[in-house]
Amino acid sequence: SILGLESSNSEEHFDRGLLHQSAGRFQDALAASDAAIRWSPPYWEPHFNRAQILAALGRPEAALADHDRVLELDPEQDDARLNRALLHFERGAHDQAQGDLDLLLARPRPSAKALCLHGLLLLKHGEAGAALQRFSQAIDDDHALADAWANRASAHYRLGDAGAALRDLDQAIQLRPDPDMFHNRDRILRRADTSAVSPAGVSAC
């Protein structure tokens, strides 16, 4: 191993962190990412990976700080901006999430995940019709994005179309069998209140 000879090799630490991360060894991945950052002039990649590790470890504030650093180093890193928007959304900081999404949605071709997350924000604000359009745009861009189908089902249901909601949930379940999706489908079939059907799969948008 290069590290046996040169412990200050940032790229070797970075690569080792990726291996730990892919194997689910998040504490080891975090230590390797810390070393990659410590032994190098600033570059955005280890901060981006460390942010993902910190989020997986349930440390959203620290993950946000790393995404902030990524965007300081390279403001065009849209994956970091989207991840930061999602973290803000999950914390209930909707204004900050919207700020990042405004930039992402201004791109010539916004990503399906950005469109999906914007739909979730619209749904949170009670704008089910506008959310439905956003989820449909996300599906048009990426037919395999299960969360867009699941969340469009919620929009359909809130607009009073249980049949369309069930069709979208069936498609979402085909793409990714998720307990929340089965739960919502069961709720609709038992004619539950609309308040009992919540957006599914928020974390994947």
Side-chain angles (χ1 to χ4, degrees):
S1 169
I2 295 174
L3 288 178
L5 300 173
E6 188 180 354
S7 62
S8 60
N9 188 301
S10 176
E11 290 185 5
E12 179 74 4
H13 286 294
F14 177 74
D15 291 341
R16 180 168 290 189
L18 289 176
L19 289 172
H20 287 311
Q21 186 177 352
S22 65
R25 297 188 295 268
F26 294 116
Q27 291 291 354
D28 291 333
L30 181 61
S33 294
D34 288 343
I37 290 167
R38 183 167 62 251
W39 293 109
S40 174
Y43 65 112
W44 66 266
E45 287 91 341
H47 288 281
F48 181 85
N49 286 349
R50 189 169 69 175
Q52 293 179 303
I53 295 162
L54 289 165
L57 289 170
R59 296 172 58 186
E61 296 291 342
L64 281 168
D66 264 329
H67 282 311
D68 289 344
R69 184 59 172 148
V70 170
L71 292 166
E72 287 175 9
L73 294 168
D74 186 352
E76 299 303 312
Q77 285 302 320
D78 283 351
D79 285 343
R81 193 173 299 281
L82 178 62
N83 288 348
R84 188 172 72 174
L86 179 58
L87 286 168
H88 283 313
F89 175 83
E90 290 174 340
R91 294 168 61 251
H94 294 162
D95 288 344
Q96 288 99 317
Q98 187 66 60
D100 276 332
L101 279 174
D102 286 342
L103 289 172
L104 293 170
L105 295 171
R107 303 299 191 216
R109 186 180 174 183
S111 73
K113 289 184 177 182
L115 293 166
C116 185
L117 182 54
H118 189 222
L120 285 169
L121 271 173
L122 292 167
L123 211 55
K124 282 285 187 182
H125 294 149
E127 300 178 45
L132 183 68
Q133 292 181 354
R134 278 305 197 199
F135 295 136
S136 295
Q137 288 178 301
I139 289 167
D140 288 342
D141 187 68
D142 183 357
H143 200 75
L145 185 59
D147 299 283
W149 291 97
N151 290 314
R152 192 174 73 170
S154 294
H156 276 306
Y157 197 80
R158 293 186 189 190
L159 291 167
D161 193 341
L166 284 170
R167 289 191 295 273
D168 277 356
L169 278 173
D170 286 343
Q171 180 64 34
I173 289 166
Q174 278 191 355
L175 292 165
R176 192 186 74 238
D178 182 286
D180 288 338
M181 296 176 190
F182 283 107
H183 176 73
N184 279 353
R185 189 177 187 281
D186 183 61
R187 290 278 190 172
I188 295 174
L189 288 171
R190 292 190 289 110
R191 298 180 180 276
D193 293 336
T194 56
S195 60
V197 181
S198 59
V202 169
S203 64
C205 285

